[in-house]
Amino acid sequence: MAEHRYQPGASPSYFDVDFNQMPFTVAWEITKACALNCIHCRAVAQKKRHPDELTTQEGFQLIDQLVEMGKPILIVTGGDPLMRRDVYDLLNHAVAAGLRVALSPSATKLVKREALQRVKDSGVHMVHLSLDGSRPEIHDAFRGFKGSFQRSMEILQDMRELGIPFQIGTTVNRHNLEDLPAIAEVVERAGVTVWSVFFLVPTGRGQASDMVSPQEHEATYNWLYDLSQRVSFHIRTTAAQSYRRVVIQRMRQAQGQIAPAGPARWELTGAGYAFREGRAPVEKGVNDGNGFAFIDHLGNVCPSGFLQIPAGNVRQQPFAEIYRNATLFRDLRDVSKLRGKCGLCEFKQVCGGSRGRAYAMTGDYLASDPSCAYLPQALRATQVGAS
């Protein structure tokens, strides 16, 4: 089952949210502490908790601000969020306040069956567990912890038996690119509803040398689209905004190139975007700072975990004020400010390129995403004219 699907006559929910006023999703890094040593860790996790983390009460206040703002999806992450003993209090408060909450723990000994039962009892809507290889030697090397693969398998089994909704996340990099088909088989056998596929952003411990090439990004996007047509789970992508463009191109190819004059011909909703085909296509996509925000363990508000430039701090300003008014966020929501190839691209409203990857590799968060192999129509026309 694909992450994209036909919805004739329906309005995808992304169209109903004004990203200038509120994000669709907020990720909150409640701690930077984690026992693992993953080679791609954007948080550069540490062994012990920082003494200046937001307190439990400050966390409650932040959650209440999100509710007042319009109830975005809340992802509770880290580090390893289970390193905080009050994580269950925070989860309970968020769910009771009406937020849809996802939890992303690390695969350590802290994720015991009784801990998972407490997570389930809190009413969390989804638990995310990472799997970066189909075999221990690949996954454990990536996670920097021998036995991590086996621990992940045990946690997956516990979640299945407890009836906890969960998804598997995989970070695509040069170490596991060839292993992706085998990982997909593990995902299928695990019985998950979602495979969340991340594409490495060279920030934190992540290195540009571990990224796959633009051509490998493109080939992987097309492979994921083909896979989505025949598997039982949904496929979602992160830091892979160009995948949306590939989905639209493939669906246009399947449906015919010329859109009719009149009502929209088809619609699709994916993870982080919506598209309505017609004579004048309507498109909308979540991106760093545009429908998405990240709050670090100290209360700094950033466009995403991959673009950790603080625009303010919730200890000094309300979250809504930072998200709505900070120059950084306003820039990121204005696609007319995109530079280079991304600025010329006909898919910039729905894609826009990874702003985090652009910043990590060029120092300019409005520059083109270096991982994209696509040549926009405007540049092709220029090249044809020059020839």
Side-chain angles (χ1 to χ4, degrees):
M1 184 182 298
E3 67 161 350
H4 42 272
R5 48 200 176 274
Y6 299 114
Q7 294 187 347
S11 295
S13 58
Y14 293 106
F15 289 143
D16 300 328
V17 180
D18 182 354
F19 292 165
N20 290 307
Q21 295 301 307
M22 66 168 284
F24 194 86
T25 302
V26 173
W28 176 21
E29 172 195 78
I30 65 173
T31 184
K32 222 174 184 180
C34 182
L36 300 183
N37 190 34
C38 306
I39 65 173
H40 72 303
C41 182
R42 57 113 198 115
V44 192
Q46 55 200 33
K47 297 302 180 184
K48 295 182 179 180
R49 292 177 54 188
H50 195 289
D52 293 330
E53 289 173 355
L54 293 181
T55 66
T56 305
Q57 192 58 42
E58 287 174 323
F60 290 163
Q61 293 169 357
L62 173 60
I63 290 166
D64 293 342
Q65 288 183 36
L66 297 180
V67 172
E68 293 173 5
M69 196 177 186
K71 296 185 178 180
I73 295 169
L74 175 62
I75 301 172
V76 177
T77 185
D80 180 5
L82 294 191
M83 292 285 279
R84 283 187 63 146
R85 293 184 178 181
D86 64 350
V87 61
Y88 307 106
D89 297 322
L90 297 170
L91 295 176
N92 286 328
H93 187 86
V95 173
L99 296 181
R100 289 184 60 84
V101 182
L103 177 69
S104 182
S106 299
T108 69
K109 293 181 179 179
L110 290 177
V111 194
K112 298 177 181 178
R113 194 178 180 93
E114 50 267 35
L116 289 171
Q117 183 64 58
R118 293 185 71 180
V119 169
K120 179 181 179 181
D121 293 342
S122 75
V124 162
H125 293 81
M126 181 69 71
V127 174
H128 174 101
L129 194 69
S130 294
L131 184 68
D132 295 299
S134 65
R135 308 185 305 277
E137 56 267 32
I138 299 175
H139 176 85
D140 290 359
F142 192 71
R143 290 282 153 183
F145 186 83
K146 188 175 181 180
S148 179
F149 180 87
Q150 180 59 34
R151 187 73 196 101
S152 296
M153 294 299 103
E154 293 166 354
I155 294 169
L156 288 173
Q157 180 64 25
D158 283 341
M159 288 195 292
R160 275 194 299 266
E161 293 176 358
L162 291 170
I164 298 174
F166 65 94
Q167 67 180 33
I168 287 176
T170 299
T171 299
V172 177
N173 62 92
R174 68 179 180 86
H175 302 284
N176 67 3
L177 182 63
E178 299 301 320
D179 194 41
L180 290 179
I183 296 174
E185 292 179 4
V186 176
V187 171
E188 181 92 73
R189 291 196 300 270
V192 303
T193 56
V194 177
W195 187 25
S196 185
V197 185
F198 294 70
F199 284 74
L200 183 69
V201 176
T203 187
R205 291 198 197 109
Q207 300 296 312
S209 58
D210 287 328
M211 285 176 52
V212 299
S213 70
Q215 293 71 29
E216 288 168 329
H217 274 85
E218 191 78 3
T220 305
Y221 296 153
N222 278 279
W223 175 77
L224 285 171
Y225 179 86
D226 291 333
L227 180 70
S228 73
Q229 304 303 297
R230 62 177 186 269
V231 293
S232 60
F233 50 85
H234 296 272
I235 294 174
R236 296 178 181 170
T237 57
T238 298
Q241 286 81 354
S242 291
Y243 179 63
R244 306 166 187 176
R245 183 252 311 158
V246 169
V247 171
I248 294 167
Q249 289 176 312
R250 294 291 300 271
M251 292 186 69
R252 280 178 169 170
Q253 182 180 18
Q255 295 297 312
Q257 298 294 329
I258 302 175
R265 183 172 53 174
W266 48 264
E267 298 178 356
L268 63 91
T269 299
Y273 72 101
F275 184 87
R276 182 180 299 135
E277 179 69 295
R279 187 171 186 176
V282 180
E283 51 198 10
K284 191 170 186 178
V286 174
N287 208 325
D288 301 335
N290 183 20
F292 190 95
F294 173 85
I295 304 161
D296 76 8
H297 60 298
L298 303 178
N300 294 308
V301 178
C302 308
S304 80
F306 300 117
L307 183 53
Q308 292 192 52
I309 304 175
N313 189 289
V314 296
R315 282 177 164 145
Q316 283 83 47
Q317 294 173 273
F319 172 79
E321 182 179 312
I322 299 169
Y323 177 84
R324 291 169 180 166
N325 300 326
T327 299
L328 172 61
F329 278 85
R330 292 172 70 92
D331 282 348
L332 290 167
R333 291 196 293 268
D334 185 353
V335 296
S336 71
K337 293 189 175 183
L338 292 177
R339 291 189 262 273
K341 184 167 80 166
C342 283
L344 296 171
C345 186
E346 63 273 22
F347 291 99
K348 64 183 177 182
Q349 290 284 354
V350 71
C351 172
S354 167
R355 298 298 92 219
R357 188 178 291 109
Y359 181 74
M361 298 188 72
T362 72
D364 180 359
Y365 57 76
L366 295 174
S368 292
D369 181 348
S371 72
C372 181
Y374 180 67
L375 190 65
Q377 290 180 1
L379 286 178
R380 276 180 274 162
T382 300
Q383 290 184 358
V384 170
S387 63

